[in-house]
Amino acid sequence: MKFFKSKPCLYFSTEYFLGLCEKGPRSSFDCNKYRKIRDKLLENKVVKPSHILEPRPASWDDFRLVHSRGYIEKLKDPMFLAKILFLDYVNPFDTDIIDFFKFVTGGTIQTFLTAYEKKTVCFNLGGGFHHAKKDKGEGFCPVNDVAIGIARFFNNFGKKRVLIVDLDYHHGNGTAKIFENDEDVFTFSIHRDNWDDIDKENNMDILLPDGTEDNEYLLQLKLYLPDVVDRFKPELMVYIAGSDVHIGDTFGTFNISTEGVLKRDMFVYNLAKHCGIPMGIVAGGGYGKESWELYYNFIIHVLGG
Ligand SMILES: [Zn+2]
């Protein structure tokens, strides 16, 4: 059996919440989610402050690896960005709202690079803006940090087989579209409904109905994911651990319990660990007051194990 070669790593920046929260987003998204996770990890002495790594922000050039020049020019206009984020645009905006996305994307890039370099599992305490496409932002996602992270990974280490396991409640449509013509990237997603049709061999979309409970969800995951890993033989796994599958989520319509979310997360983690596949994990969606705790639970179980 193969195992990870180094201890897990974590990326977080105080920039993950500043700026955006002061602009009054029109959703139930908990803007302090990422900071709460960091604070609880320190408060409960799960990690020392020195274990939490500060990412460098992504650059416009990093964004260019995935997004078109024309779209990036539009993103430089804070009013355009505010519309994608459903911010209350009667308020004045500064150009700094993009900074949140630069830091979170920087965190995702470094999460993937470090996981691969050190042959381990790394967490970004934020990230997972999987709906953004080359020329378009949607669903609160102006830039696709996951796709940018993978593009930077290819730049640094050359072309490898990357498996994206997207278990956010919503379809990972943006990422799948961006890599639609790249069979080195396998896009696996379990969700409520397809946002786009993906014409690709190395893609698997599993649709589950409203009210799906733990047993059915976990059954589907265990039925298909190990087989994908076995056949595709990924050299890097990327996991979007969206907690909006939880029964208490204000957007999601699945009925997955707190225990079920943890079982799901640990199943994906253990699969990567036992196959010795480096894994970079991002938070994904989650729109309830319990959302921070679901990701926190996952992190402490990995760090504790
Ligand atoms: Zn989602």
Side-chain angles (χ1 to χ4, degrees):
M1 228 175 245
K2 301 167 184 171
F3 292 101
F4 291 138
K5 304 229 183 291
S6 333
K7 63 179 186 183
C9 70
L10 299 167
Y11 281 93
F12 170 81
S13 164
T14 51
E15 297 287 339
Y16 283 15
F17 65 96
L18 288 174
L20 191 64
C21 285
E22 294 155 7
K23 314 295 179 188
R26 290 185 195 157
S27 89
S28 53
F29 182 76
D30 176 3
C31 283
N32 288 318
K33 171 175 165 176
Y34 312 129
R35 185 179 58 176
K36 274 186 201 164
I37 297 170
R38 190 273 314 258
D39 289 351
K40 280 287 171 194
L41 288 170
L42 294 176
E43 196 182 306
N44 294 334
K45 298 192 170 23
V46 180
V47 293
K48 292 178 188 162
S50 59
H51 287 161
I52 300 179
L53 306 169
E54 173 92 24
R56 289 179 301 279
S59 64
W60 293 112
D61 282 345
D62 290 324
F63 289 177
R64 272 285 295 136
L65 294 171
V66 160
H67 298 289
S68 69
R69 196 175 296 276
Y71 177 64
I72 287 173
E73 282 311 307
K74 288 188 200 164
L75 281 181
K76 291 178 181 171
D77 172 4
M79 293 300 278
F80 178 82
L81 187 55
K83 279 183 192 166
I84 299 172
L85 298 173
F86 301 98
L87 296 178
D88 185 359
Y89 51 85
V90 294
N91 287 333
F93 291 108
D94 305 320
T95 50
D96 67 357
I97 39 175
I98 196 67
D99 290 350
F100 170 88
F101 292 96
K102 287 188 166 175
F103 274 93
V104 173
T105 302
T108 298
I109 291 170
Q110 282 148 67
T111 292
F112 296 172
L113 296 181
T114 307
Y116 186 78
E117 218 161 42
K118 302 246 168 100
K119 303 288 175 258
T120 189
V121 58
C122 289
F123 290 90
N124 186 3
L125 297 195
F129 304 113
H130 59 168
H131 297 308
K133 297 172 185 165
K134 184 182 174 189
D135 288 310
K136 191 174 174 236
E138 56 187 58
F140 301 109
C141 303
V143 291
N144 195 315
D145 62 308
V146 174
I148 295 166
I150 292 170
R152 272 290 305 273
F153 169 68
F154 287 155
N155 272 5
N156 282 38
F157 295 104
K159 216 58 194 304
K160 309 274 177 207
R161 290 182 305 282
V162 177
L163 167 61
I164 303 171
V165 180
D166 191 333
L167 301 186
D168 187 282
Y169 167 81
H170 301 97
H171 187 199
N173 64 319
T175 327
K177 273 285 169 203
I178 288 166
F179 293 112
E180 197 167 25
N181 297 314
D182 186 346
E183 297 292 348
D184 284 328
V185 179
F186 196 116
T187 42
F188 178 97
S189 181
I190 301 181
H191 45 264
R192 172 62 182 82
D193 46 14
N194 279 354
W195 287 31
D196 280 290
D197 290 327
I198 310 300
D199 180 16
K200 181 178 189 182
E201 194 178 323
N202 285 334
N203 175 69
M204 188 179 284
D205 288 321
I206 299 170
L207 275 67
L208 294 175
D210 292 338
T212 295
E213 296 185 349
D214 294 11
N215 284 349
E216 180 57 17
Y217 189 96
L218 294 169
L219 185 75
Q220 295 293 324
L221 179 65
K222 291 175 183 178
L223 194 60
Y224 292 105
L225 187 61
D227 186 51
V228 168
V229 170
D230 203 40
R231 280 189 296 117
F232 183 67
K233 299 190 174 25
E235 293 159 283
L236 175 73
M237 270 170 76
V238 165
Y239 179 34
I240 301 168
S243 58
D244 42 6
V245 295
H246 188 259
I247 189 166
D249 195 84
T250 51
F251 280 0
T253 58
F254 291 164
N255 288 344
I256 312 297
S257 68
T258 300
E259 195 189 27
V261 175
L262 183 61
K263 280 184 182 166
R264 173 198 74 165
D265 293 342
M266 291 308 287
F267 179 77
V268 178
Y269 167 72
N270 281 318
L271 186 62
K273 182 179 169 181
H274 290 295
C275 296
I277 304 164
M279 183 159 72
I281 306 172
V282 297
Y287 307 92
K289 58 184 184 320
E290 74 293 327
S291 178
W292 73 270
E293 206 164 4
L294 296 162
Y295 198 39
Y296 171 79
N297 275 345
F298 179 27
I299 295 170
I300 59 170
H301 276 79
V302 168
L303 295 180

